């Protein structure tokens, strides 16, 4: 398997280069810092490598990132830098990950975040977020190992070397979209948050993207078992799906309602218990909301920043359309709180809250977001990783759906055709 590196704006494609250890690379030369890939792995049809360990260490004034692989193969890679925030991105075709995402508190000085996982079928991505500009000093791959060395640089030098390679952004339609399950009058889109390169919250080895997918599968099974619901999952595997794509998929599946599932952390206080979110009355409120900013920020980080998506006109349309769907969203949210409170316990103050998450802004589909619990709470972590709890919680949500569906106004949604290329 060939390894090596290449520099140049022309190198927006994977290309075969000679087998050689990477040397120091000229900073500011081009957007693509390093690349090495045999053509065979490009379609990502098979997994060529398994990453078993990811290590990030402080080295002098810089950082050293090291991946360990299960086999004696040198991984193919492509490395590039991006600004706002400063980050180094490494793409690996045909690579799977066994290593667990690190706890953000365990990161060394200089690193602001480290995430990795499947970005789209056949392509994995690692994103190292920096709290100061650093340049790639050396990158090399050899049998069973990939190493990246970073050293401090100036903002100007970093910016000059940063930029997206042509095909590096997430493209709609490259993913395999899950199928609708079950039969029934109402189609529920379950939307497990995060996935792939975006792990969501990570505390003590408990990873949000896994917890919410597990829960979504449990809830889907229970909803389908009633024979009253068709169920669609916006993702049914550990893969990255941008927020706007989730909404697009749900609408394309004819969803009458979207239920997003999360289990985030709180940085202040010690909140615990389930809470339910719907859109606020005024979207100005939403824009100011810190939670919403955090949530929407992840797409920009990983490469799904779809320009022009939230322009002024879109905002007006959303405003108009939401007047009809907000009522249904809120009725379901209240129904969920009513069912969860006696069985499981909900957030003590205001269990039903309003927030401007982008995934809640489906113009013609009522949307509710459930924070199943907070990974920052030890009690919630215990619950969320506990199968009997998940079964009971899913059961309570099925009852909430039943209560809501019994009085849902006819024509509360009209599933519509989705225009090609519209991000939702
Ligand atoms: Zn989340």
């Amino acid at each position: 398997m060939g390894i090596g590196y290449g520099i140049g704006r022309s190198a927006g494609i994977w290309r075969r280069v000679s087998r050689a250890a990477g040397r120091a690379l000229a900073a500011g030369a081009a957007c693509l810092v390093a690349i090495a890939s045999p053509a065979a792995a490009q379609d990502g049809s098979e997994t060529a490598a398994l990453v078993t360990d990811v290590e990030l260490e402080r080295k002098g004034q810089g950082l050293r990132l090291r991946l360990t692989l299960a086999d004696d193969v040198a991984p193919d890679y492509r490395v590039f830098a991006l600004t706002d925030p400063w980050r180094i991105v490494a793409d690996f075709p045909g690579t799977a990950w066994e290593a667990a995402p690190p706890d953000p508190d365990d990161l060394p000085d200089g690193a602001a975040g480290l995430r990795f996982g499947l970005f789209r079928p056949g392509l994995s991505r690692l994103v190292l977020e920096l709290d100061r500009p650093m340049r790639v000093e050396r990158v090399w791959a050899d049998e069973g190992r990939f190493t990246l060395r970073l050293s401090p640089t100036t903002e100007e030098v970093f910016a000059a070397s940063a930029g997206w390679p042509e095909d590096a952004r997430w493209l709609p339609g490259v993913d395999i979209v899950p199928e609708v399950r079950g039969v029934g009058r109402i189609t529920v889109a379950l939307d497990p948050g995060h996935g792939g390169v975006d792990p969501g919250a990570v505390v003590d080895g408990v990873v949000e993207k896994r917890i919410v997918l597990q829960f979504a599968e449990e809830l889907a099974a229970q909803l389908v078992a009633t024979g009253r619901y068709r169920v669609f999952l916006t993702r049914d595997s550990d893969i990255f799906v941008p927020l706007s794509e989730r909404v697009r998929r749900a609408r394309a599946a004819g969803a009458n309602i979207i239920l997003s599932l999360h289990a985030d952390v709180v940085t202040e206080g010690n909140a615990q218990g389930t809470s339910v979110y719907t859109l606020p009355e005024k979207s100005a409120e939403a824009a100011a909301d810190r939670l919403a900013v955090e949530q929407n920020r992840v797409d920009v980080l990983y490469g799904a920043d779809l320009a022009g998506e939230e322009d002024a006109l879109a905002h007006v349309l959303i405003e108009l359309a939401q007047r009809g769907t907000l009522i249904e969203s809120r009725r379901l949210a209240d129904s969920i709180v009513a069912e969860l409170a006696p069985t499981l316990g909900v957030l003590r103050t205001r269990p039903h809250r309003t927030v401007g998450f982008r995934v809640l802004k489906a113009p013609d589909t009522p949307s509710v977001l459930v924070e199943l619990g907070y990974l920052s709470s030890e009690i919630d972590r215990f619950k969320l990783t506990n199968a009997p709890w998940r079964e009971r919680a899913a059961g309570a949500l099925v009852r909430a759906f039943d209560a809501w569906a019994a009085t849902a106004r006819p024509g509360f949604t009209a599933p519509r055709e989705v225009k090609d290329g519209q991000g939702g």
Side-chain angles (χ1 to χ4, degrees), residues 395-421:
L397 284 175
V398 171
R399 289 197 299 280
F401 271 108
D402 284 346
W404 164 78
T407 56
R409 293 181 311 173
F412 63 89
T413 61
R416 290 177 194 184
E417 290 293 309
V418 179
K419 285 186 212 110
D420 283 346

Side-chain angles (χ1 to χ4, degrees), residues 187-189 230 232 249-258 364-366 413 415:
T187 303
V188 178
R230 295 168 81 237
F232 173 77
R249 286 180 183 187
R251 294 176 66 200
N256 298 108
I257 188 115
I258 302 173
D364 53 7
T365 313
T413 61

